[in-house]
Amino acid sequence: MMQGVKSDLFVFAGLLMLLIMTVVGSYWPLGEGLLIWSLAISSLKAYLIIRFYMNFRAGDRATKLFPYLAGVGLFILLLLVSTDFLTR
Amino acid sequence: MKTSAEREGQEPDIPNDSNINLGIWIFLLTEAMLFGALILCYSVMRILHPAAFNTASHLLDWKAGTLNTAILLFSSFCMAVAVRASGKGKSKGTSVLLLVSASLGILFLAVKGMEYHSEWLKYLFPNDEFTFAGPDSAFVKLFFNAYFILTGLHAIHLTFGILWLSGLGIASWVSPQFHRRYPNAIDCAGLYWHFVDIVWVFLFPLLYLVGGS
């Protein structure tokens, strides 16, 4: 179990580092790029949480399908809204 | 009314482990769609009114937001260790870690409450008394509408998670057999807790850092 806790601790340290990078990034003159920077780091944090804390790889095939389905659902939502928004 | 298994002195039927896991993932998928749609609405408003949203974002306390993010990340770490301890059948350790995670959730809500209080005092709550002296006042109010809806909905989810974790923590402390009877209960609570954490991980930069520090 100690090995597992150690890896959880490393992931936590990584998440804190990414949090610091998010805040430091907001001081850089990135303009609109700041949003992309922030969302990219948030996505990386979400990946670490899903992969290591939610034990995504330990689930069976049906269970593994649902995080992907969530991604596909959000992509369709984004596609439909942006199509509507851009063609108005 | 007793089930046939109970009448015969056996354990009552417990749903299959993988079915429970699948159920919670389906639930999380619907939650992802809910928050995804709201964040998308916020993004469209931000694209339409970038200057007003940047101005409004500067009115938020980003230090409190950063502290809250660190609190939630630490609670996620505690929750992950609680799930490991539960798998090893360590009921007292699991119980303590669950209660620590729930306490961190309460701490998050306390910080958020102080932020809300400060915003209320500055007349930034989007009701009839909303006051903003600068330009684009209507769109700054729109930002605060989105801010209170998103963070309020997240706080409701977190409150539910705190109740869930506290209940499991107490049950685990009182009954050492709890893990054997309900092996997936703590896993499911953990998945929900981590999901609530992920939602905040996206809300924090979108709301607090959108205009730069």
Side-chain angles (χ1 to χ4, degrees):
Chain A
M1 184 183 152
M2 283 315 289
Q3 193 63 30
V5 174
K6 212 179 269 183
S7 82
D8 287 342
L9 200 58
F10 277 122
V11 172
F12 174 61
L15 288 168
L16 279 188
M17 283 300 295
L18 289 171
L19 172 63
I20 292 166
M21 281 170 71
T22 312
V23 176
V24 169
S26 70
Y27 281 95
W28 295 338
L30 295 174
E32 285 302 304
L34 175 62
L35 189 66
I36 296 163
W37 167 262
S38 301
L39 287 178
I41 292 184
S42 296
S43 303
L44 194 55
K45 276 191 247 179
Y47 169 76
L48 287 176
I49 293 170
I50 293 170
R51 167 71 178 78
F52 293 99
Y53 285 174
M54 295 171 95
N55 286 320
F56 172 56
R57 294 187 76 172
D60 58 25
R61 277 186 188 173
T63 308
K64 277 182 185 172
L65 189 66
F66 276 86
Y68 290 115
L69 277 179
V72 171
L74 286 173
F75 177 73
I76 292 170
L77 192 72
L78 180 71
L79 195 71
L80 293 176
V81 172
S82 55
T83 309
D84 176 60
F85 179 66
L86 294 171
T87 54
R88 244 166 225 249
Chain B
M1 190 176 173
K2 286 183 175 180
T3 63
S4 58
E6 282 171 329
R7 277 196 296 274
E8 288 163 21
Q10 298 166 355
E11 293 281 317
D13 288 346
I14 295 168
N16 182 292
D17 283 2
S18 61
N19 288 351
I20 298 172
N21 253 344
L22 190 60
I24 194 84
W25 274 107
I26 293 170
F27 170 66
L28 294 183
L29 182 135
T30 62
E31 290 285 88
M33 297 302 286
L34 168 70
F35 277 103
L38 287 173
I39 289 173
L40 206 56
C41 288
Y42 168 84
S43 305
V44 169
M45 289 188 287
R46 191 192 172 275
I47 292 168
L48 290 173
H49 315 290
F53 271 49
N54 286 353
T55 307
S57 175
H58 281 128
L59 297 172
L60 298 179
D61 184 357
W62 67 269
K63 287 174 191 161
T66 308
L67 175 67
N68 262 348
T69 311
I71 289 170
L72 269 196
L73 291 176
F74 185 54
S75 80
S76 258
F77 164 69
C78 292
M79 189 68 223
V81 180
V83 171
R84 283 189 196 282
S86 159
K88 295 283 175 192
K90 296 180 176 175
S91 61
K92 299 285 181 203
T94 307
S95 173
V96 168
L97 285 162
L98 286 171
L99 293 173
V100 167
S101 300
S103 306
L104 288 166
I106 293 169
L107 185 62
F108 175 96
L109 289 181
V111 174
K112 196 83 222 135
M114 282 192 282
E115 268 189 84
Y116 281 168
H117 180 66
S118 153
E119 283 142 14
W120 177 270
L121 292 178
K122 290 178 193 164
Y123 298 100
L124 292 174
F125 189 77
N127 58 6
D128 292 342
E129 292 177 2
F130 179 85
T131 311
F132 178 68
D136 297 327
S137 172
F139 299 128
V140 171
K141 189 176 179 181
L142 187 66
F143 172 88
F144 277 98
N145 268 306
Y147 165 77
F148 279 101
I149 289 170
L150 285 165
T151 57
L153 189 65
H154 177 263
I156 291 169
H157 278 77
L158 196 72
T159 306
F160 180 71
I162 290 165
L163 294 173
W164 193 356
L165 262 55
S166 304
L168 285 176
I170 293 165
S172 178
W173 184 272
V174 172
S175 163
Q177 299 299 316
F178 183 78
H179 303 277
R180 208 172 300 158
R181 281 178 64 88
Y182 305 103
N184 265 38
I186 290 164
D187 287 14
C188 290
L191 289 174
Y192 177 81
W193 193 257
H194 296 311
F195 173 79
V196 173
D197 188 12
I198 290 174
V199 170
W200 182 257
V201 155
F202 281 96
L203 289 184
F204 169 61
L206 282 172
L207 294 169
Y208 289 82
L209 305 177
V210 75
S213 292

